[in-house]
């Protein structure tokens, strides 16, 4: 599962590259876990390393 | 001579270009999967949005960045804004020309400049604008919010004077055809044809300092030696990479400035021109542009891309966004619109790595390590200041 840390500033870069429309951003990114397939593309594009993979 | 560049933002790329021109063997390291940092396009829903900037060069074709690109023989088409600016004030929209400002306010402003020259009185811009008529006061606030992402309270008056001088010298803004990315692409072509090596997804993990000299960069478990190191990531992060306590302490107070950009799609134009519309009837949004007036390809056909900018006033981002969205409704009026993206910027991915007026320059405690980019851009505005900073470093070498 992906979690967004406190470091997120809300720049939206992750949501632009997500092919599943699984990220909503308004001030801070929020992952819609039902849609996310854990491709990890968003993690690479985050300038702040704010998205982390955690075990369920 | 070998030069290593940390970060591929516009500052890093421009510095690399001039170093290559001087005959340096240059290598650039970028942490993200793409180059251009906060000054490049990112496509979303058919719109050319950006990673940061509002697709504008503060001084258009005449400015320091355009001049630097021409010097390197990089050809980018820039549409100079006409009119430079309009203002939405008291429900009306009109062109911003000198005649709009009451003579009494212009005289007061000039008197304050003189007073500063003669007596060196230290004041913020707000202290001065407080004494002006309501329009001039509201305009000052919108201008600072749009071009510096700060409030008049946070900016020293002399700094504003220098910005005012540079606008008189270089004039108003322009929009590059193709948006920010066309400038990045132009720089990349130049760098590639000059054998500059660029790697993405390759964060720099440390800078080795020996006997007060920066010697090497650590990347992916590898150590790379250089004669010169240029950092495009601001002083605090550069200091951390060196691990040098006194450098870290020296720059720990530097504050960045934050802001919020809302990208909106409309059918019916909101501005109808290539300049800026300063919004004076709003709580947060300082200005708006409509870049599709210069380049329709920045949006799907039949659509305009409108971008708003507001400085961050409180730390409560959700609250600031809510106020921005309310302002947006007021600005757009009766037209139908769709919000494409809300992007906020602060801390380590800010609007400016150093708040206007608090810059400490390009030098570091190590003579062959320099900082470029908006973490060290002197008195210029945005990418114009970045270009001026890069030139300064190159001249010093
Ligand atoms: C909302 C907004 C609107 C703006 N509007 C405008 C505008 O219209 N006109 C204008 O001129 N300016 C504008 N600006 C400002 C402009 O975008 C920035 O000043 C400029 O892009 C900064 O460039 P830079 O090279 O200093 O830094 P950056 O673009 O941040 O580049 C730094 C690069 O370094 C990389 N990096 C970080 N750490 C490391 C590491 N350890 N190793 C390797 N690489 C690393 C980053 O990933 C990044 O790519 C705006 C900014 C924002 C946020
Ligand atoms: S992991 Fe992939 S699918 Fe999931 S949110 Fe990130 S980009 Fe989208
Ligand atoms: S890219 Fe990173 S900082 Fe930007 S919104 Fe997504 S998680 Fe937050």
């Amino acid at each position: 599962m992906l979690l967004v840390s406190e470091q997120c500033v809300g720049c939206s870069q992750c949501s632009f590259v997500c092919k599943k429309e699984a990220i909503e951003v308004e001030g801070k990114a929020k992952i819609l876990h039902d849609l996310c397939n854990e491709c990890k593309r968003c993690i690479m594009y985050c300038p702040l390393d704010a998205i982390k993979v955690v075990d369920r | 001579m070998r030069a290593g560049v940390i970060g591929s933002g516009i500052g890093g790329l421009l510095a690399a270009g001039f170093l290559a021109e001087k005959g340096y063997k240059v290598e650039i390291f970028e942490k993200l999967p793409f180059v251009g940092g906060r000054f490049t396009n990112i496509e979303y829903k058919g719109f050319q949005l950006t990673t940061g900037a509002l697709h504008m060069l503060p001084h258009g074709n005449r400015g320091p960045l355009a001049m630097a690109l021409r010097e390197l023989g990089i050809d980018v088409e820039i549409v100079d804004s006409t009119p430079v600016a309009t203002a939405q004030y008291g429900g009306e929209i009109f062109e911003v020309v000198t005649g709009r400002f009451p003579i009494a306010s212009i005289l007061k402003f000039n008197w304050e400049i003189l007073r500063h020259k003669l007596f060196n009185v230290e004041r913020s811009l707000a202290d001065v604008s407080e004494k002006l008529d309501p329009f001039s006061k509201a305009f000052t606030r919108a201008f600072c919010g749009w071009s510096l992402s700060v409030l008049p309270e946070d900016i020293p008056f002399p700094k504003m004077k220098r910005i005012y001088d540079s606008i008189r010298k270089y004039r108003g803004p322009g929009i590059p055809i193709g948006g920010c990315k066309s400038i990045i692409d132009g720089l990349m072509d130049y760098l590639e044809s000059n054998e500059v090596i660029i790697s993405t997804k390759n964060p720099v993990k440390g800078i080795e300092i020996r006997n007060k000299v920066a010697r090497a960069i650590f990347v992916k478990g590898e150590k790379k030696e250089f004669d010169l190191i240029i950092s495009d990531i601001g002083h605090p992060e550069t200091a951390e990479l060196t691990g040098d306590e006194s450098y870290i302490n020296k720059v720990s107070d530097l504050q960045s400035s934050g802001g919020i950009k809302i990208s909106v799609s409309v059918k019916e134009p909101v501005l109808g021109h290539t300049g800026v519309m300063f919004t004076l009837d709003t709580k947060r949004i300082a200005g708006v542009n409509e870049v599709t007036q210069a380049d329709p390809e920045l949006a799907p056909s039949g659509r305009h891309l409108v971008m708003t900018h507001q400085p961050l006033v409180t730390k409560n981002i959700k609250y600031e966004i809510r106020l921005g969205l309310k302002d947006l409704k007021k600005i757009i009026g009766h037209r139908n619109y769709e919000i494409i993206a809300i992007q906020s910027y602060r801390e380590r991915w800010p609007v400016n790595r150093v708040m206007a007026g608090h810059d400490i320059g390009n030098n570091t405690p190590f003579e062959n390590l320099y900082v470029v980019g908006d973490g060290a851009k002197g008195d210029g505005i945005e990418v114009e200041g970045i270009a001026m900073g890069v030139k300064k470093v190159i001249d010093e070498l």
Side-chain angles (χ1 to χ4, degrees), chain A residues 6-13 15-18 21 23 25-28 41 44-49, chain B residues 31-34 42-44 49-51 201 317-318 321 325 340-349:
Chain A
E6 280 306 309
Q7 261 141 351
C8 169
V9 300
C11 71
S12 289
Q13 241 152 253
S15 74
F16 298 153
V17 299
C18 172
E21 295 195 32
I23 309 181
V25 187
E26 212 176 299
K28 189 172 188 266
R41 208 170 135 80
M44 276 195 323
Y45 278 79
C46 176
L48 295 140
D49 306 315
Chain B
K31 167 172 128 177
L32 293 172
F34 61 90
I42 189 155
E43 195 185 318
Y44 185 58
L49 304 185
T50 81
T51 50
K201 296 189 214 166
I317 306 290
K318 294 224 158 125
I321 291 175
L325 293 173
I340 305 297
I342 301 170
Q343 293 168 268
S344 48
Y345 297 86
R346 63 205 149 100
E347 291 157 25
R348 298 214 151 175
W349 199 245

Side-chain angles (χ1 to χ4, degrees), chain B residues 7 9 11 30-31 38 52-54 56 204 232 353 373-374 382-383:
Chain B
E30 169 57 53
K31 167 172 128 177
R38 285 168 287 146
L54 296 144
M56 266 194 160
V204 171
D232 187 32
R353 283 191 204 273
D374 68 1
E382 301 181 323
V383 293

Side-chain angles (χ1 to χ4, degrees), chain B residues 102-141:
Chain B
I103 292 184
S105 285
I106 296 178
L107 290 176
K108 250 182 227 159
F109 191 79
N110 287 331
W111 163 239
E112 290 298 335
I113 290 173
L114 189 69
R115 229 159 64 107
H116 168 71
K117 266 196 201 139
L118 295 178
F119 313 115
N120 218 350
V121 204
E122 255 190 55
R123 268 155 319 153
S124 78
L125 178 59
D127 297 334
V128 173
S129 78
E130 206 50 55
K131 298 176 189 155
L132 308 179
D133 65 285
F135 170 69
S136 305
K137 194 176 148 190
F139 180 81
T140 307
R141 198 171 189 81

Side-chain angles (χ1 to χ4, degrees), chain A residues 2 18 20 22-23 31 36-42:
Chain A
L2 269 65
C18 172
K20 294 283 168 191
I23 309 181
I31 311 244
C36 170
N37 68 3
E38 303 204 2
C39 72
K40 297 183 186 152
R41 208 170 135 80
C42 55

Side-chain angles (χ1 to χ4, degrees), chain B residues 40 167 240 302:
Chain B
T40 192
I167 290 173
E240 275 168 32

